[in-house]
Amino acid sequence: MPTTSDKPQLFGTNGIRGIPNKDLSTEFSMEIGKAIGTHFGVPEIVMGRDTRDTGQMIFNAVSSGIMSTGITVVDLGILPTPAVQYYCKVKSVPGVVITASHNPPQFNGIKCIAADGTELERKSEEEIENIYYNKSYHQIGWENAGTMISDQNAASLYVHGVMSHVDVAAIKAKKFRVIVDTGNGAAFSTTPTLLRKLGCSMVTLNAFPDGMFTSRTSEPKPENLKDLISLMSKGGFDLGIAHDGDADRAVFIDEKGNFIDGDITLSLVVKSTIKKGDRVVTPVSSSDAINDLCKEAGVELIRTKVGAPIVSRTMIENQAKIGGEENGGIVFGPHQYCRDGAMTVALILNLMATHKKKISDLVKTVPEYHIFKTSVERHKDWKTLEPQILKYSESTLIDRLDGLKIYLENGWVLLRPSGTEPIIRVYGESKIKKRAEELALEYHALISGLQEEPSSL
Ligand code: MG
């Protein structure tokens, strides 16, 4: 088969993304369905989607393509991405999720899942792209076309799967009061169901499926969670919970209304679940607090490039127990090797119940670090900027795994060109809050200056 190296790559870090009826047409989606069906060549493929208004349209196009190659499509309906992944893992069936995660409502996407529940490897995505570009679809007669069936049990299977990893009796005994903001996204039913089964009394916020994300932007950042933070700050609740659009991530608000950074959530999960001999995986961008915790517990820490599929894949290769990023995406290996928002919720409640502590007190038990994040527009090639940045920095300790992570006095700075936007992300971390900001702003100014007058150094 001819290669397609001269053709654009279709799959990005989280599947194919685009705007339906524009760059993600139904015709294209149907052909991608044919390519997916041809690639997998199995009796059944599972499909799910998030709450976006264009979800049914893209679902129908992709599923038509898949059925045309002789495969039965199992429709799981609207579900969090990790719930579809869990179903794939349990049933050993590959899957497709129609989702654009936390992107604005005009976007949608096609994400493929391997039969072990993990995100598809790049090698398989390339094969799907080759099939698409060569139009080498599996041809069958009308009598062998696939059909569509539905399975209503996927949500229940998922919730029970999550519960099997925590001390349900201990959590129930605490009768936690929580507010959960599912942001009009795919966890509108699964996370409230999980919380009810864990004996929590709850107030749900934005827990109705709305593909326009009318209530709030689906990225769970503090500035988008003002209602939840305001309600939590009034007191009377133990924990505030928010998901992104497809609920593979969860973020938390303490009982006083303080947003808990994703790095701290990851530290809490690492601290409470690891044992000597375990392995932890996290990208270069997350906090040194993870280093401290792993060192203290005698646990190996493996750093990767930034990106959830890289973290999951590295976890599988190393049989790691915990992985995750600083954006609230946590992977709990014993459950499944993908980011899972509901699993993260259950682990945090488990920690609160078994340690009999408020979430704000638990936060104080992890090493205190501060990260300051900013970004700078990129007008010049990274390859041109990199040596100039190195020339400026006097550090002798530099990690080049993903961009430049430069260790300096009382902290580090990470400079990383974005894979999706013409910007350079700048992170500064230190135990001293002011120093973290100082580091990030110093290098922000440096990169801006280098792009204006390269000869000034
Ligand atoms: Mg997501």
Side-chain angles (χ1 to χ4, degrees), residues 101 244 246 248 339:
S101 183
D244 70 325
D246 66 338
D248 57 352
R339 301 194 296 191

Side-chain angles (χ1 to χ4, degrees), residues 282-423:
T282 195
V284 285
S285 52
S286 52
S287 175
D288 273 0
I290 315 294
N291 294 42
D292 296 359
L293 291 168
C294 289
K295 201 173 168 191
E296 193 185 308
V299 161
E300 185 188 350
L301 173 64
I302 302 163
R303 292 273 182 180
T304 66
K305 287 178 187 250
V306 173
I310 298 171
V311 171
S312 296
R313 198 51 58 191
T314 309
M315 285 182 72
I316 296 167
E317 283 161 11
N318 293 280
Q319 290 298 297
K321 189 172 191 181
I322 299 281
E325 301 170 290
E326 34 67 46
N327 61 6
I330 290 177
V331 185
F332 184 57
H335 175 54
Q336 59 176 348
Y337 286 112
C338 68
R339 301 194 296 191
D340 192 324
M343 189 68 246
T344 310
V345 169
L347 288 170
I348 292 294
L349 290 172
N350 193 60
L351 176 63
M352 289 164 67
T354 53
H355 284 69
K356 300 183 174 64
K357 278 187 176 168
K358 288 179 181 166
I359 188 70
S360 63
D361 290 330
L362 288 164
V363 166
K364 288 177 201 152
T365 66
V366 300
E368 191 181 348
Y369 282 87
H370 302 275
I371 285 196
F372 187 91
K373 296 179 197 171
T374 179
S375 62
V376 53
E377 280 184 36
R378 183 174 59 77
H379 314 295
K380 285 193 175 174
D381 192 46
W382 173 248
K383 283 200 177 99
T384 312
L385 292 169
E386 205 177 12
Q388 293 176 288
I389 296 165
L390 289 169
K391 194 174 157 193
Y392 168 85
S393 172
E394 286 172 0
S395 173
T396 51
L397 190 54
I398 293 166
D399 181 346
R400 305 184 71 157
L401 183 56
D402 195 353
L404 288 174
K405 190 173 185 180
I406 305 168
Y407 291 86
L408 295 148
E409 197 186 341
N410 288 322
W412 53 258
V413 65
L414 173 67
L415 314 165
R416 205 176 63 80
S418 163
T420 52
E421 299 168 74
I423 57 169

Side-chain angles (χ1 to χ4, degrees), residues 107-165:
F107 287 89
N108 215 328
I110 304 166
K111 178 171 170 147
C112 291
I113 313 294
D116 62 358
T118 61
E119 276 121 355
L120 211 56
E121 285 183 275
R122 178 67 202 138
K123 190 160 55 75
S124 300
E125 289 177 346
E126 272 171 15
E127 197 180 313
I128 293 169
E129 287 169 0
N130 281 341
I131 296 167
Y132 168 78
Y133 282 123
N134 292 308
K135 309 288 176 214
S136 51
Y137 307 126
H138 183 50
Q139 304 288 340
I140 54 161
W142 68 269
E143 68 279 15
N144 291 319
T147 55
M148 189 180 294
I149 57 173
S150 69
D151 190 339
Q152 307 293 321
N153 294 316
S156 170
L157 184 77
Y158 172 60
V159 168
H160 283 98
V162 167
M163 288 170 69
S164 70
H165 297 286

